[in-house]
Amino acid sequence: GLIWSKPFNHYINTKKGIYYLHEDDLSDTPEDLETLHKRFKERINNFREALKSDKPIIFIFHYGEKLSRCHPEEFDALYTEIKRLRGDKQMSFLVIDTAQSLQPKFQDVEYYIPDFLPRDYVWHVEAYRYTKEGIRFESEMMDKLLKLARLYQ
């Protein structure tokens, strides 16, 4: 079931362990629940279109203790499936592992493991947002992303 988490200000799918962290502008109302459904339908459609596109794509996966409830092998399966669906079209992967628990195994994946952050780091939590470590993380992550983007210029 889908429940509203008042302390964290977002929806949680308790059956699948999905935390809708990017939806903190919503509240526990029928209108906002409809907004959530509409947003995810659009995101799924955008993802499908991106997979078909001939343009280069950078996929970003942030693996963290409070962000991802998936196991490392599930990322491996996702990576393999995206590669299969995209075929020989240009793409890159940036994996951000703030939990420091993934083992880099793919040659064409850029892994960023910021060992200076708390393992439970979440960028939008006020306690971390404007800390020295948080700003360092954001800067280094953007540098890595820009490096990948330059591959396609």
Side-chain angles (χ1 to χ4, degrees):
L2 198 59
I3 64 165
W4 176 256
S5 171
K6 195 169 188 170
F8 295 107
N9 197 37
H10 62 255
Y11 285 98
I12 299 172
N13 180 325
T14 57
K15 287 183 182 175
K16 298 193 183 250
I18 299 171
Y19 292 64
Y20 297 93
L21 300 173
H22 293 284
E23 315 308 320
D24 59 353
D25 63 320
L26 301 179
S27 61
D28 189 18
T29 66
E31 296 82 19
D32 280 353
L33 185 58
E34 179 61 30
T35 298
L36 179 73
H37 286 138
K38 187 187 295 185
R39 284 180 185 176
F40 273 84
K41 281 181 187 176
E42 289 173 7
R43 289 174 186 161
I44 290 167
N45 287 334
N46 288 342
F47 184 71
R48 286 181 177 141
E49 290 300 313
L51 288 174
K52 291 189 272 183
S53 171
D54 289 328
K55 294 180 181 177
I57 298 177
I58 300 171
F59 294 96
I60 302 171
F61 181 75
H62 190 170
Y63 188 83
E65 285 188 358
K66 289 188 177 179
L67 294 173
S68 304
R69 298 296 187 257
C70 74
H71 297 283
E73 59 272 7
E74 290 172 335
F75 167 73
D76 297 353
L78 176 64
Y79 164 85
T80 302
E81 184 63 11
I82 289 173
K83 294 277 287 187
R84 185 187 70 76
L85 291 168
R86 288 281 294 170
D88 60 356
K89 297 173 186 170
Q90 289 184 311
M91 67 186 138
S92 299
F93 292 83
L94 173 60
V95 174
I96 303 162
D97 180 11
T98 53
Q100 303 171 32
S101 57
L102 294 178
Q103 296 298 317
K105 67 190 313 186
F106 299 106
Q107 296 295 325
D108 59 343
V109 173
E110 176 81 23
Y111 290 90
Y112 176 43
I113 304 170
D115 59 1
F116 56 88
L117 288 176
R119 292 172 60 93
D120 65 348
Y121 176 81
V122 180
W123 64 89
H124 69 278
V125 171
E126 197 66 37
Y128 299 135
R129 188 175 287 165
Y130 298 111
T131 64
K132 179 177 75 172
E133 293 83 5
I135 292 170
R136 177 180 168 192
F137 164 71
E138 296 292 332
S139 297
E140 289 181 7
M141 188 262 311
M142 284 306 300
D143 287 345
K144 293 195 175 292
L145 189 56
L146 289 170
K147 175 184 152 194
L148 291 173
R150 287 187 197 103
L151 295 173
Y152 306 115
Q153 293 179 338

